[in-house]
Amino acid sequence: MIRAFVALPLPVTLRQRLMLVQSLLHLPRPAVRPVPPENLHLTLAFVGEQPAPLVEDLHHALEALRAQAFDLTLRGVSAFGGRTPRSVHAGVEPSEPLARLQRKVLRAMDEVGLDPERRRFTPHVTLARLDWRRLDEADRTRLLRGIVDQDGFRAGPAEIAAFALYRSHLGREGPHYDELARYGLEGALA
Ligand code: 3AM
């Protein structure tokens, strides 16, 4: 079985800005686990644990997918999880080409018999995962204040020239991602 997902690898310019934001946020280990720079990505679809031949079918469907390169701008920092935050992420400026690409990826999954989750697509780049219950009051306050302080964060626009299929290995030190294949977008300058 292969645990897989489809995502945008991020241009180095955006990754550097995200690393800077991570360094400005209060992310005390071990309750908070920052995403390592090489793991920063924007998930288009979670594929889950699937038999290798099905992932191979998806790979061929993604190879056949045609979509345009586009510019991506990151904007704002916030948390998922409501009153007990579980992750901190950078937001993304609304982008119709990004939404179109994500719909095409879901269609490719459908075509090969994978049942994609139909939750509303909320594009984001996860910066850190956290266990809220393990943070004391002072750390919680500093973390939330940091998120508010970074709300003016903006990075880009940067060209997205490709998307990729990843394998995720879950380890005790956090997930490790291997890029299985990269798919170029049409009209990319880079
Ligand atoms: O882009 P992010 O970091 O939000 O959260 C996981 C990560 O997304 C998500 O897939 C991406 C690569 O691991 N993920 C993990 N398990 C999931 C699940 N069961 C999931 N998304 C939906 N359902």
Side-chain angles (χ1 to χ4, degrees), residues 3 5 41-43 46 80 117 119 124 126 129 168 177:
R3 183 181 172 87
F5 66 96
H41 65 271
L42 189 159
T43 301
F46 180 67
F80 283 137
E117 248 187 272
R119 263 195 302 192
H124 63 274
T126 301
R129 298 195 168 79
S168 167
Y177 303 143

Side-chain angles (χ1 to χ4, degrees), residues 9-153:
L10 295 175
V12 67
T13 50
L14 296 185
R15 232 161 344 118
Q16 281 170 343
R17 295 292 309 283
L18 291 168
M19 287 157 63
L20 184 61
V21 171
Q22 284 177 317
S23 73
L24 294 171
L25 287 169
H26 177 65
L27 303 174
R29 291 164 187 273
V32 184
R33 300 171 307 283
V35 175
E38 67 276 12
N39 278 4
L40 291 167
H41 65 271
L42 189 159
T43 301
L44 297 171
F46 180 67
V47 178
E49 297 268 353
Q50 304 294 345
L54 197 49
V55 176
E56 184 80 29
D57 289 348
L58 176 62
H59 164 57
H60 293 304
L62 294 175
E63 269 183 329
L65 185 162
R66 294 286 164 262
Q68 291 294 316
F70 58 94
D71 282 344
L72 185 77
T73 301
L74 303 176
R75 189 176 69 187
V77 172
S78 52
F80 283 137
R83 293 160 71 91
T84 50
R86 60 177 187 278
S87 63
V88 180
H89 63 269
V92 175
E93 274 195 359
S95 161
E96 190 45 44
L98 171 63
R100 255 196 314 269
L101 173 61
Q102 196 263 353
R103 287 196 294 271
K104 287 181 182 182
V105 169
L106 295 190
R107 214 172 302 141
M109 289 175 66
D110 239 352
E111 273 167 29
V112 301
L114 286 162
D115 190 21
E117 248 187 272
R118 296 289 175 189
R119 263 195 302 192
R120 197 166 72 91
F121 178 46
T122 308
H124 63 274
V125 180
T126 301
L127 298 172
R129 298 195 168 79
L130 60 105
D131 187 346
W132 185 249
R133 290 160 310 169
R134 288 176 70 189
L135 287 171
D136 64 27
E137 206 50 45
D139 279 335
R140 288 178 178 182
T141 303
R142 285 185 67 194
L143 174 62
L144 294 178
R145 190 172 297 145
I147 291 172
V148 171
D149 285 348
Q150 290 304 315
D151 195 48
F153 168 70

